[in-house]
Amino acid sequence: MRETDRNTREVANRTTQRVHRGPLGQVLERYLDNHRRNGLADYSAVELEQLWLAAAEVDPAIGLHLFAQFTPQDWHVLAHTCLYCADVAGAIHCWQRYSRLASNMDNLQLIEDASGLGMQISIDAPPRLGQFMVEHYSVMAITQLRRGTNKHVLPALAQFAHARPSYHAEYRQWFGERVEFGCGHNRLYYAADTLRLPMQGRHAGMLELLCQELDRRMARHHQLSGWAGKVAASARQQLARGQVPSLESQAEALHQSPRTLRRRLEEQGLTFRQLLDQVRAELEQQLELQGETRSEIAFQLGYSDLAAYLHARKRWQAESP
């Protein structure tokens, strides 16, 4: 007799939660002198909005200022990768190509019209959170382009969907004189001579190596959709709490029976162990980039000792595409 799912139809079919991956939430918490999450958890839109609003009480223009709080260890791998591109145009294309690795809340598109080549940022979030995120992403992009070219890069035109904020005068240092508000979209346009500026750290070999890894990550993210994506997100949260994920604990969290959840994963070509290995391998790379030691990584990935972690690591490497 087929086992009955322990869930309502609404729970089983609800859409995947909007999350932001990487250190943005941790930097906000650090800014607020709050507890750190050890670099493991994804942050939901609700959690991020609460952090941004709390930070805005301290600094209303926190969206423009937060990236200054990031260390190179906090940067997403994309922020590093773009510095190895040949020129500004290449860096912009690279960022757009892999942007979904950082968050499923936002979408980056290249726009080419009478104003030139532009990057459009769309945020699937409440308006206030969307404004913070757009300001942060835009300042991050300009900062990295300035760092990469060693030039005072400015957009030819900056358009924002939100209304003009009280601190609008601060926009000038990041976006120049042509700044428009209430446009219904968020776009940064760049002049042709800016797009041709060479990146001082350009390195074709390093860029190719990093893009190969990012392509593998993209393939994993495509695979981790549906129920696999829900299990992966839940497993990350459990690791962040210092707990070791199991099929049973994930089934309980997702209101499924273990047998049903196992079947759903098998329908996507995955076992629970393979899925957990992928989650741990991805988190390992993030922790390595943050400079964590092997022992610290082993602990944060839920292993009882270093030897168990190193043994599992060999398995990941052998099974990786």
Side-chain angles (χ1 to χ4, degrees):
M1 183 175 178
R2 184 171 178 175
E3 189 168 281
T4 304
D5 294 356
R6 294 177 295 145
N7 68 297
T8 63
R9 183 175 300 274
E10 289 75 21
V11 171
N13 295 326
R14 64 187 176 189
T15 57
T16 302
Q17 187 182 55
R18 293 168 296 160
V19 297
H20 189 281
R21 308 177 184 92
L24 174 58
Q26 292 116 46
V27 177
L28 277 165
E29 287 189 338
R30 191 166 70 219
Y31 176 81
L32 294 167
D33 291 324
N34 221 330
H35 68 282
R36 286 194 66 189
R37 292 187 172 203
N38 298 321
L40 290 178
D42 295 340
Y43 283 74
S44 71
V46 173
E47 291 173 318
L48 274 183
E49 185 169 31
Q50 291 172 343
L51 289 170
W52 277 112
L53 289 173
E57 291 181 2
V58 179
D59 175 8
I62 186 63
L64 300 179
H65 299 159
L66 187 67
F67 191 61
Q69 302 289 326
F70 278 59
T71 69
Q73 288 72 36
D74 294 321
W75 297 352
H76 191 276
V77 65
L78 264 177
H80 290 278
T81 303
C82 292
L83 297 179
Y84 294 110
C85 292
D87 51 25
V88 167
I92 291 173
H93 281 81
C94 180
W95 200 288
Q96 186 275 330
R97 178 180 175 183
Y98 297 113
S99 61
R100 297 296 285 180
L101 289 173
S103 171
N104 68 2
M105 294 170 55
D106 46 80
N107 180 46
L108 271 62
Q109 292 179 285
L110 294 179
I111 303 294
E112 195 158 9
D113 55 27
S115 297
L117 178 68
M119 176 73 81
Q120 177 168 296
I121 307 172
S122 303
I123 307 292
D124 181 16
R128 191 75 191 280
L129 175 57
Q131 177 178 334
F132 290 137
M133 297 293 287
V134 165
E135 290 175 333
H136 173 68
Y137 285 146
S138 299
V139 168
M140 182 192 305
I142 298 299
T143 300
Q144 292 303 89
L145 291 179
R146 289 177 179 177
R147 180 176 279 116
T149 61
N150 200 27
K151 301 288 185 181
H152 190 69
V153 172
L154 288 171
L157 171 65
Q159 298 178 323
F160 296 100
H162 53 267
R164 188 175 73 171
S166 60
Y167 50 87
H168 63 91
E170 292 197 43
Y171 274 62
R172 189 175 298 112
Q173 65 176 303
W174 297 107
F175 311 117
E177 299 297 329
R178 297 186 63 195
V179 180
E180 301 173 359
F181 297 99
C183 299
H185 55 249
N186 306 291
R187 295 177 184 173
L188 299 180
Y189 286 97
Y190 297 92
D193 56 348
T194 298
L195 294 171
R196 290 192 295 267
L197 287 174
M199 303 294 279
Q200 300 300 302
R202 58 190 181 279
H203 192 295
M206 183 62 73
L207 179 63
E208 181 181 5
L209 184 66
L210 287 171
C211 285
Q212 287 175 356
E213 172 57 29
L214 292 175
D215 285 335
R216 282 193 289 270
R217 292 192 188 188
M218 289 286 285
R220 286 198 297 267
H221 278 294
H222 285 312
Q223 187 179 31
L224 296 184
S225 59
W227 284 98
K230 294 177 183 180
V231 174
S234 180
R236 293 188 193 99
Q237 294 288 343
Q238 196 166 0
L239 285 168
R241 294 192 295 267
Q243 302 168 351
V244 180
S246 66
L247 178 65
E248 290 72 23
S249 67
Q250 298 309 296
E252 179 72 22
L254 295 170
H255 307 282
Q256 301 286 293
S257 69
R259 181 182 299 177
T260 298
L261 186 58
R262 182 186 295 111
R263 185 181 69 249
R264 293 187 187 280
L265 293 178
E266 289 173 350
E267 289 171 354
Q268 292 186 244
L270 287 167
T271 66
F272 178 74
R273 195 198 76 170
Q274 289 172 331
L275 178 57
L276 184 56
D277 280 352
Q278 287 188 27
V279 169
R280 280 170 158 164
E282 181 179 321
L283 293 174
E284 177 199 46
Q285 292 173 342
Q286 181 177 323
L287 291 167
E288 284 181 334
L289 192 62
Q290 292 175 355
E292 302 284 4
T293 67
R294 289 279 189 232
S295 296
E296 290 168 336
I297 293 174
F299 175 77
Q300 294 185 55
L301 295 186
Y303 289 102
S304 57
D305 54 52
L306 182 59
Y309 158 60
L310 294 177
H311 178 75
R313 190 171 187 270
K314 290 181 180 179
R315 185 177 70 246
W316 306 338
Q317 294 174 338
E319 295 177 356
S320 63

